Amino acid sequence: MSGESCLHQLQPQTGPIVSVSSVACPKTNTCTYRGVTGNKYVQLNVGGNLYYSTLHVLTRQDTLLRSMFSGKMEVLTDKEGWILIDRCGKHFGSILSYLRDGFVTLPKSRQGIMELLAEAKYYLIQGLIDLCQRALQDNEEKALCVIPFITSPKEEERLIQGCVRPVVKLLYNRGNNKYSYTSNSDDNLLKNIELFEKLSLSYSGRVLFIKDVIGDEICCWSFYGQSRKLAEVCCTSIVYATEKKQTKVEFPEARIYEETLNALLYETLPVPDNSLLEATRRRHNCCSHSEEEEAVELRERVRRIHIKRYSTYDDRPLGH
């Protein structure tokens, strides 16, 4: 094995890996690496994760590792010659990659970046510390989801016609009511708004979500694909109670998931054929499932399409 660009994380030949931070190691020795050539490969056991690297890589930058492997500090070894470092080894491969190349691909999650930052601080790698801190700051400044509010019919037309993604619009305006509301209407209106926010957080990269607060309806969902309207789900109706009219707001969760599922089919060209659309629609004549069971089933189908869509993309999170 030669060349400093080679880096291997190894598995032990026999027995399970154990962390030296939690298991006593009576048969250990200390040694220094003063005067050892830089191209020599060394064996590293970092919290039970085994690595090979060269002294040249380990001492390239002014870090704690340089102090350990330039003779300034003693290092602990086991009877097989593995150098023991009492730290979590999860991100040590990224540490070595940064020391070798001067850059590294950061973890995708914020938690992963914070874990790598903690290791970079321990090993005193300033460049990697700065890289992680900038990434965390950028993530804080980046909005999770931007939802435009419609202020005029022309603005609505411009948003829908100019968007290549499917569009989901929620119109809600409680003040449009001429009558009193039924007892559950306010709760159902809030449920519609909460579902809209949940969908927008999960699918903001795939669907444009917009809010309309100037329309004539009280609560109404509209779904668009490739600049044309696909469906509309109106959640309000007029009912009679004790000889007076009341406005009833419903929460048709299953129908909303169904139309969202249909809208997702318009992400790619060509337009899905009628048989594919029909396969995603509810069978209204089937009475074997309750509304709640149907909503659960449709949520799962939307989730599967979301996962399938992004299973080959590394920069997308999974669905809700």
Side-chain angles (χ1 to χ4, degrees):
M1 187 179 301
S2 62
E4 68 178 66
S5 61
C6 296
L7 172 64
H8 299 282
Q9 182 175 357
L10 306 177
Q11 299 298 328
Q13 297 299 317
T14 59
I17 294 177
V18 294
S19 172
V20 298
S21 60
S22 58
V23 179
C25 299
K27 296 181 179 180
T28 58
N29 300 302
T30 58
C31 65
T32 61
Y33 275 79
R34 185 183 303 275
V36 181
T37 58
N39 289 327
K40 176 181 174 61
Y41 267 88
V42 294
Q43 303 174 129
L44 302 168
N45 182 337
V46 187
N49 294 273
L50 309 182
Y51 295 88
Y52 271 146
S53 188
T54 65
L55 290 175
H56 181 69
V57 169
L58 295 170
T59 59
R60 173 173 289 182
Q61 299 187 28
D62 186 12
T63 66
L64 179 65
L65 291 169
R66 174 185 281 183
S67 298
M68 293 173 61
F69 293 98
S70 61
K72 296 180 180 179
M73 297 174 58
E74 290 186 339
V75 295
L76 192 66
T77 64
D78 64 13
K79 63 181 181 179
E80 296 179 352
W82 291 92
I83 298 168
L84 306 178
I85 300 179
D86 190 11
R87 295 291 294 180
C88 175
K90 178 180 179 181
H91 298 287
F92 195 72
S94 297
I95 296 289
L96 293 179
S97 294
Y98 184 83
L99 293 176
R100 184 179 63 249
D101 303 323
F103 65 89
V104 69
T105 301
L106 296 178
K108 297 177 178 61
S109 67
R110 180 179 178 83
Q111 179 64 30
I113 297 176
M114 292 177 67
E115 291 173 358
L116 180 57
L117 174 60
E119 297 305 303
K121 287 182 176 180
Y122 175 79
Y123 293 110
L124 305 177
I125 308 174
Q126 188 59 47
L128 185 55
I129 293 173
D130 296 340
L131 183 63
C132 291
Q133 289 178 338
R134 284 196 300 269
L136 291 173
Q137 184 177 0
D138 291 343
N139 288 339
E140 289 178 355
E141 295 174 352
K142 187 182 299 182
L144 291 176
C145 179
V146 177
I147 301 177
F149 275 78
I150 294 175
T151 56
S152 69
K154 287 186 177 181
E155 183 180 15
E156 177 182 354
E157 181 180 2
R158 178 182 60 81
L159 285 171
I160 295 173
Q161 295 297 324
C163 185
V164 297
R165 294 176 289 167
V167 177
V168 174
K169 181 187 75 170
L170 175 62
L171 187 163
Y172 66 92
N173 190 342
R174 192 179 186 281
N176 282 338
N177 186 29
K178 297 179 181 179
Y179 312 105
S180 61
Y181 284 101
T182 58
S183 58
N184 293 329
S185 290
D186 282 332
D187 286 342
N188 286 335
L189 181 60
L190 188 59
K191 288 179 180 178
N192 279 280
I193 296 173
E194 289 175 345
L195 178 58
F196 178 83
E197 293 175 348
K198 180 180 178 180
L199 291 173
S200 64
L201 286 174
S202 298
Y203 301 101
S204 60
R206 303 173 60 184
V207 178
L208 173 63
F209 291 86
I210 58 179
K211 286 184 178 180
D212 184 354
V213 293
I214 63 171
D216 297 329
E217 297 287 346
I218 296 172
C219 183
C220 184
W221 295 72
S222 299
F223 303 85
Y224 301 83
Q226 297 177 12
S227 303
R228 65 185 183 90
K229 194 171 188 177
L230 304 175
E232 181 176 282
V233 179
C234 186
C235 303
T236 56
S237 60
I238 303 297
V239 297
Y240 286 88
T242 62
E243 299 183 354
K244 68 176 182 179
K245 293 181 179 180
Q246 285 187 303
T247 299
K248 180 180 180 181
V249 179
E250 298 177 307
F251 178 51
E253 184 181 15
R255 179 77 191 283
I256 294 167
Y257 272 106
E258 171 200 338
E259 298 302 344
T260 302
L261 182 66
N262 289 334
L264 289 172
L265 297 174
Y266 285 79
E267 286 186 284
T268 57
L269 293 172
V271 176
D273 58 31
N274 291 332
S275 62
L276 182 58
L277 289 173
E278 188 63 27
T280 65
R281 294 195 176 276
R282 293 192 305 168
R283 293 173 172 82
H284 295 281
N285 295 329
C286 179
C287 301
S288 61
H289 297 285
S290 67
E291 181 78 9
E292 182 177 353
E293 290 172 334
E294 190 171 8
V296 171
E297 181 182 352
L298 284 165
R299 281 198 298 268
E300 177 62 20
R301 285 156 62 187
V302 171
R303 187 187 69 83
R304 287 199 300 266
I305 284 186
H306 183 72
I307 294 174
K308 181 179 180 181
R309 172 70 173 172
Y310 285 120
S311 60
T312 58
Y313 291 80
D314 292 335
D315 57 342
R316 295 285 185 184
L318 295 182
H320 60 288

